[in-house]
């Protein structure tokens, strides 16, 4: 991930006033004056020191976060002793310490920042707080962005009146806006300064998590806010404070953190770092999350953040083959990549999904820009996950290795394969950047002639739940958040009460097994079916019944310390799945976040629009976007 910083290199010179007062001039009212003529002899001052600031601060922070950054056109070098520059800085600022109080002497205008054209394709171009663009540099940046359409633009807006910078705003992927005390607050909405600044920001940026407000007292983004109390005795100047905050948030944005965690990490950096020695990601994460488990909890929380869901794009080779076959789409490696690419390149996807579950093959495929899909999604701040089970095996064909004595199962019942070599696979996936996993166990409700429940049997429930617990523990040991998915398959003649009874029984056994295996629930997510009558039953359950029954089962059988609950769609139509999700939400509040993790209900309309022909990509993306919008709207049904 490469970042090109556009900004000025400043030098902050710290001066201590000599206590020998004969250098001060006293006026007729007995006030002492110091003639600050910096070219004059230096004997007024002692303990002089200097620090590089401005764009250098962004460079230092981003580099410490493990990212590759350079300042455009500079010959600045970072070493263990801090940054050094060949030649003079663009601008000098003076900080005078008198009686322990800092006084700032800053130029009334900064030197214009020139953008030196480059042929190198950077992933991000960051116009930082110190930049002073003129028409020529802004248009060179525009030209660069036109010839490098994959480069994302990030802008720090310090001065809302720079019209050259403002012309770049609509192309920005993230904007930092400096909040002045009287502007931008709802307490003073008519403030000309405030309205002028936010009015410049297009509403799609303002309404998403792409506008971050920065002030001395807080960092905020939409309704998320992180208070600050920055101790500036350490000679952090205003500008450096803001630069550390914005560069940390930018780094976290690139690394795929949620905006909530990015603000927390920025605050930790500000409150604990010194100028030109900011903290590394590990140190920051340790500050906000003390143990490895806490890191897992952080990821788990980020996966179920309101108001977004998780896309399940993890159909196995067999499932995707069936789907393609129905539409006579050739099941080739390229078509499978192109199909997944449609979803991942849907504009603004990160506003609707926190994470995406991939299939192993997809995790090794590449986006159009040459990045592998895992890095591509991470850069979009979407957490990539992976399906790690290896499908279903009938009890009649074989028993799981540790259960060769199992009895009382129905021969058609299944158990889920994949525990062999799982730890090694999980470690490899972690190295690839995958941060969560999914494992599906399937249970069918079969009825006898009298309509009584025959399956799932206690044996099948117990074995599958123990396997799920073993998988979940292995995930957590490998730094991966487990999604446990015990699915009651939406097929058969059972009624909604039988669905509720079966789902409840499975959940009781599942949480019992997770507890026995010491799986950490705050770092674990449940993926579950909605409670509803089987597809073959003539009388379908209504959305109101489904909402009420599902909410009741979950509230009674899911422990409150679980990270979250997500729903599969199970073969309902996309509209049914959305309507039913909305009804479930209406029956909240719940002790954990609740959201969607659909595969078919999110993707099927796009598959039909695509038909295997990339000329239909735009139509397919629109069909997908329609489902994303409908489902994220459903999440606010009880608001
Ligand atoms: P559906 O939403 O199509 O049921 O798929 C969800 C899933 O991930 C099943 O494992």
């Amino acid at each position: 991930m490469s970042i090109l910083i556009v900004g000025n290199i400043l030098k902050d010179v710290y001066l201590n006033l000599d206590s020998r007062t004969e250098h001060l001039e006293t006026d007729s009212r007995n006030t002492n004056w110091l003639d600050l003529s910096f070219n004059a002899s230096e004997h007024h001052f002692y303990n002089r020191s200097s620090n590089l600031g401005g764009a250098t601060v962004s460079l230092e922070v981003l580099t410490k976060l493990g990212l590759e950054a350079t300042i455009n056109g500079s010959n600045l070098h970072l070493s263990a002793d801090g940054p050094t520059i060949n030649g003079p800085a663009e601008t000098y600022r003076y900080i005078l310490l008198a009686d322990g109080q800092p006084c700032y002497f800053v130029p009334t205008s900064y030197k214009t920042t020139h953008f030196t054209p480059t042929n190198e394709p950077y992933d991000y171009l960051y116009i930082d707080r110190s930049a002073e663009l003129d028409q020529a540099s802004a248009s060179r940046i525009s030209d660069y962005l036109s010839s490098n359409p994959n480069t994302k633009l990030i802008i720090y807006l310090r001065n809302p009146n720079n019209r050259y910078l403002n012309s770049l705003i609509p192309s920005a992927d993230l904007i930092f806006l400096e909040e002045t005390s009287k502007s931008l607050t709802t307490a003073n909405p008519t403030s000309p300064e405030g309205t002028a600044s936010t009015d410049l920001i297009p509403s799609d940026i303002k309404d998403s998590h792409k506008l971050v407000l920065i002030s001395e007292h807080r960092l905020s983004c939409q309704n998320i806010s992180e208070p600050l109390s920055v101790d500036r005795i350490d000679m952090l100047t205003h500008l450096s404070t803001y630069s550390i905050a914005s560069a940390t948030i930018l780094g976290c944005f690139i690394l795929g953190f949620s905006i909530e965690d990015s603000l927390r990490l920025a605050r930790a950096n500000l409150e604990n770092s010194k100028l030109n020695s900011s903290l590394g990601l590990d140190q920051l994460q340790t500050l906000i999350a003390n143990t490895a488990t806490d890191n897992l909890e952080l990821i788990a929380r980020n996966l179920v953040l309101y108001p977004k869901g998780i896309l399940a794009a993890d159909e196995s080779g067999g499932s995707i083959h069936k789907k393609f076959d129905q539409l006579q789409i050739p099941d080739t490696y390229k078509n499978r990549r192109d199909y997944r690419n449609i979803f991942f390149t849907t504009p603004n996807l990160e506003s609707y999904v926190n994470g995406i579950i991939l299939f192993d093959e997809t995790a090794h495929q590449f986006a159009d820009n040459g990045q592998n899909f895992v890095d591509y999604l991470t850069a979009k701040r979407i957490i990539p996950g992976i399906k790690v089970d290896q499908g279903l095996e009938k009890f009649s064909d074989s028993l799981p290795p540790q259960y060769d004595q199992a009895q009382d199962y129905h021969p058609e019942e299944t158990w889920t394969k994949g525990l062999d070599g799982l730890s090694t696979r999980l470690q490899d996936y972690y190295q690839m950047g995958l941060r969560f996993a999914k494992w599906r166990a399937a249970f069918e409700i079969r009825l006898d002639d009298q309509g009584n429940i025959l399956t799932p049997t206690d044996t099948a429930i117990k074995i599958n739940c123990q396997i799920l617990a073993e998988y979940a523990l292995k995930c957590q040991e490998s730094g991966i958040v487990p999604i446990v998915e015990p699915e009651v398959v939406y097929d058969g003649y059972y009624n909604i009460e039988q669905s509720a009874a079966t789902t409840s029984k499975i959940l009781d056994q599942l949480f019992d097994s997770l507890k026995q295996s010491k799986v950490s629930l705050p770092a674990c997510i449940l993926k579950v079916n909605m409670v509803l009558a089987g597809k073959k039953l003539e009388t379908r359950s209504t959305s109101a019944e489904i909402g009420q029954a599902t909410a009741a089962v979950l509230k009674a059988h899911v422990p409150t310390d679980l990270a979250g609950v997500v729903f599969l769609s199970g073969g309902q139509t996309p509209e049914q799945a959305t309507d039913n999700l909305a009804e479930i939400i209406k029956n909240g509040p719940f002790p954990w976040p609740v959201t969607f993790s659909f595969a078919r209900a999110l993707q099927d309309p796009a598959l039909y629009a695509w038909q295997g022909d990339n000329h239909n990509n735009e139509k397919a993306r629109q069909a997908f976007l329609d489902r994303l919008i409908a489902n994220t709207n459903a999440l606010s049904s009880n608001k």
Side-chain angles (χ1 to χ4, degrees), residues 93-358:
R93 299 176 306 177
Y94 297 90
I95 296 107
L96 178 70
L97 267 191
D99 291 336
Q101 292 299 316
C103 307
Y104 299 97
F105 298 92
V106 297
T108 44
S109 65
Y110 287 86
K111 280 211 177 120
T112 304
T113 310
H114 294 286
F115 180 74
T116 312
T118 164
N119 290 328
E120 217 174 305
Y122 288 90
D123 296 311
Y124 293 88
L125 188 149
Y126 177 35
I127 303 177
D128 100 334
R129 188 182 190 273
S130 61
E132 282 296 329
L133 297 191
D134 61 5
Q135 189 167 14
S137 45
S139 83
R140 273 194 215 111
I141 291 175
S142 282
D143 292 347
Y144 175 83
L145 293 171
S146 312
S147 21
N148 293 278
N150 289 326
T151 303
K152 293 198 161 72
L153 175 67
I154 317 294
I155 302 180
Y156 191 113
L157 283 180
R158 171 173 52 88
N159 172 4
N161 299 320
N162 183 329
R163 62 197 157 107
Y164 305 120
L165 188 52
N166 292 349
S167 67
L168 294 168
I169 290 176
S171 342
D173 269 280
L174 177 66
I175 292 182
F176 297 104
L177 184 63
E178 209 162 284
E179 204 179 18
T180 60
S181 52
K182 71 173 192 307
S183 65
L184 303 175
T185 57
T186 42
N188 192 358
T190 53
S191 149
E193 226 181 302
T195 44
S197 331
T198 45
D199 281 356
L200 292 168
I201 316 286
S203 53
D204 63 319
I205 294 183
K206 232 188 305 190
D207 298 342
S208 67
H209 283 166
K210 292 178 170 174
L211 175 65
V212 177
L213 302 180
I214 298 196
S215 79
E216 218 179 307
H217 306 293
R218 65 184 180 134
L219 304 169
S220 61
C221 177
Q222 285 195 325
N223 52 354
I224 304 164
S225 178
E226 193 64 35
L228 287 183
S229 57
V230 180
D231 182 356
R232 292 215 241 107
I233 298 302
D234 190 40
M235 294 201 186
L236 284 180
T237 62
H238 245 76
L239 190 143
S240 307
T241 306
Y242 293 141
S243 296
I244 291 173
S246 52
T248 311
I249 294 167
L250 168 59
C252 293
F253 170 84
I254 294 172
L255 291 166
F257 285 88
S258 72
I259 193 70
E260 239 165 357
D261 288 328
S262 304
L263 300 188
R264 290 173 71 205
L265 290 163
R267 176 182 174 183
N269 213 2
L270 263 181
E271 291 181 351
N272 296 282
S273 65
K274 299 215 170 16
L275 190 57
N276 288 325
S277 83
S278 62
L279 302 185
L281 192 58
D282 283 354
Q283 291 165 295
L284 289 176
Q285 281 189 308
T286 314
L287 280 169
I288 70 164
N290 278 327
T291 65
T293 322
D294 286 342
N295 278 337
L296 280 177
E297 290 176 16
L298 204 66
I299 297 167
R301 281 204 305 277
N302 283 335
L303 281 168
V304 289
L305 270 188
Y306 174 83
K308 302 189 218 176
I310 297 173
L311 167 66
D314 61 331
E315 296 86 351
S316 64
S319 308
I320 208 95
H321 184 79
K322 274 191 227 147
K323 279 185 164 294
F324 279 12
D325 232 25
Q326 281 169 3
L327 298 173
Q328 278 131 37
I329 299 170
D331 182 16
T332 61
Y333 181 84
K334 179 180 178 303
N335 274 348
R336 292 193 295 272
R337 187 219 80 103
D338 287 357
Y339 176 57
R340 259 65 191 248
N341 190 53
I342 293 172
F343 299 109
F344 304 163
T345 53
T346 293
N348 224 11
L349 177 61
E350 62 277 20
S351 301
Y352 305 99
V353 300
N354 295 309
I356 298 184
I357 317 171
L358 305 173

Side-chain angles (χ1 to χ4, degrees), residues 365-436:
Q365 287 180 318
F366 292 86
D368 294 337
N369 67 0
Q371 254 179 330
N372 70 45
F373 278 138
V374 176
D375 291 343
Y376 180 81
L377 294 175
T378 305
K380 275 192 166 200
R381 297 191 298 148
I382 294 171
I383 307 172
I386 184 89
K387 169 193 177 73
V388 296
D389 69 69
Q390 294 178 327
L392 306 176
E393 180 87 358
K394 278 190 190 167
F395 279 98
S396 55
D397 290 341
S398 75
L399 292 175
Q402 62 275 53
Y403 296 98
D404 50 359
Q405 295 301 315
Q407 287 167 354
D408 303 329
Y409 53 81
H410 185 287
E412 291 298 305
E413 285 187 291
T414 57
W415 59 277
T416 307
K417 290 182 293 184
L419 286 180
D420 278 354
L422 179 61
S423 293
T424 315
R425 284 192 288 134
L426 288 169
Q427 281 153 22
D428 291 346
Y429 285 139
Y430 184 90
Q431 290 305 323
M432 286 169 66
L434 293 149
R435 289 293 176 267
F436 73 104

Side-chain angles (χ1 to χ4, degrees), residues 304 310 483 525-528 564-568 593-597:
V304 289
I310 297 173
I483 294 187
I525 291 168
L526 170 72
K527 178 158 173 168
V528 71
V565 175
V566 299
F567 288 102
L568 58 98
V594 170
T595 186
F596 58 88
S597 174

